[in-house]
Amino acid sequence: MLAFFLLTLASHAFASDPSPMHDFCVADLNNTVHVNGFVCKDPQLATADDFFLTGLDQPKAPSNPIGSAVTPVSVKQIPGLNSLGLSVVRIDYAPHGQNPPHLHPRASEIMIVLEGTLFVGFVTSNPENRLISKVLHKGDAFVFPVGLIHFQFNVGNTPAAAFAALSSQSPGSVTIANAIFGSNPPISAAVLDRAFHVDKKITDLIQSKF
């Protein structure tokens, strides 16, 4: 029983970023020392601007083929987020634009729709691979569990926007298509042919687009 209890505590401890040991740890973004996060600057030098960001009310026009634009709010934009285990993004979607299937290896995510109509979902892990999805409208919220593949698609004819909060200051993002077909160097076509049950010509064609 003791071993099980300790294992449970350990599992919880690794479910999010480590807890801070100070009131705050404003990131010294110019420090060249590499640690698990950022080195703290002298707390006596902290100002309100270290905890502040403006302009998130302004939409960003998508300028890519997928039709979405991400505005990050991480420790690099707000140094005071360092060690707090939190980051935020604003996502703007063109009509029928999407945030393609991706995952965050270090964070769960909660999304709130600001404008428009989004079809969202995530896929559970093997062997079930069950799609859990829903159409969201302004004011709706949806949660994407840590490490699971998820997506958003603007099903409306007008722009859409959403905010998402993530449970890590460095959640990471792995876009599935980019990682598989756009890796550098490329994954062997023989591997991808067999994994996707397609002919090499199709694999070569998809890889050429990345």
Side-chain angles (χ1 to χ4, degrees):
M1 287 292 291
L2 178 60
F4 177 79
F5 178 69
L6 292 175
L7 180 61
T8 302
L9 287 179
S11 298
H12 176 73
F14 287 108
S16 61
D17 292 346
S19 298
M21 294 185 290
H22 311 279
D23 287 345
F24 52 79
C25 173
V26 174
D28 181 355
L29 299 178
N30 297 316
N31 199 303
T32 57
V33 175
H34 295 277
V35 295
N36 192 19
F38 289 88
V39 174
C40 310
K41 77 175 186 181
D42 185 342
Q44 295 300 316
L45 301 178
T47 69
D49 285 340
D50 290 320
F51 303 88
F52 172 78
L53 181 69
T54 189
L56 291 174
D57 59 322
Q58 300 299 316
K60 180 189 290 186
S63 59
N64 53 50
I66 61 175
S68 66
V70 176
T71 302
V73 184
S74 69
V75 66
K76 292 186 177 181
Q77 287 77 38
I78 305 180
L81 280 172
N82 192 39
S83 82
L84 298 185
L86 176 69
S87 57
V88 180
V89 295
R90 174 183 172 127
I91 310 175
D92 290 286
Y93 309 83
H96 308 297
Q98 65 170 300
N99 190 7
H102 64 284
L103 62 88
H104 304 293
R106 296 181 289 275
S108 295
E109 174 182 351
I110 181 168
M111 167 171 281
I112 301 172
V113 178
L114 302 176
E115 295 290 346
T117 305
L118 296 176
F119 173 58
V120 307
F122 64 86
V123 179
T124 63
S125 55
N126 297 342
E128 185 181 41
N129 296 325
R130 182 163 63 102
L131 174 63
I132 296 178
S133 62
K134 193 168 184 66
V135 174
L136 305 183
H137 304 277
K138 181 178 179 178
D140 291 345
F142 198 81
V143 172
F144 305 106
V146 60
L148 296 185
I149 296 172
H150 58 284
F151 63 88
Q152 303 102 38
F153 179 73
N154 181 3
V155 294
N157 294 316
T158 60
F163 272 120
L166 300 107
S167 60
S168 171
Q169 77 173 50
S170 180
S173 184
V174 180
T175 303
I176 306 305
N178 295 38
I180 293 174
F181 295 104
S183 67
N184 184 20
I187 298 174
S188 167
V191 173
L192 298 181
D193 296 346
R194 192 164 187 177
F196 288 93
H197 309 287
V198 297
D199 184 83
K200 184 179 184 300
K201 291 181 180 179
I202 296 177
T203 300
D204 291 341
L205 175 63
I206 297 174
Q207 283 185 316
S208 71
K209 295 181 181 296
F210 288 87

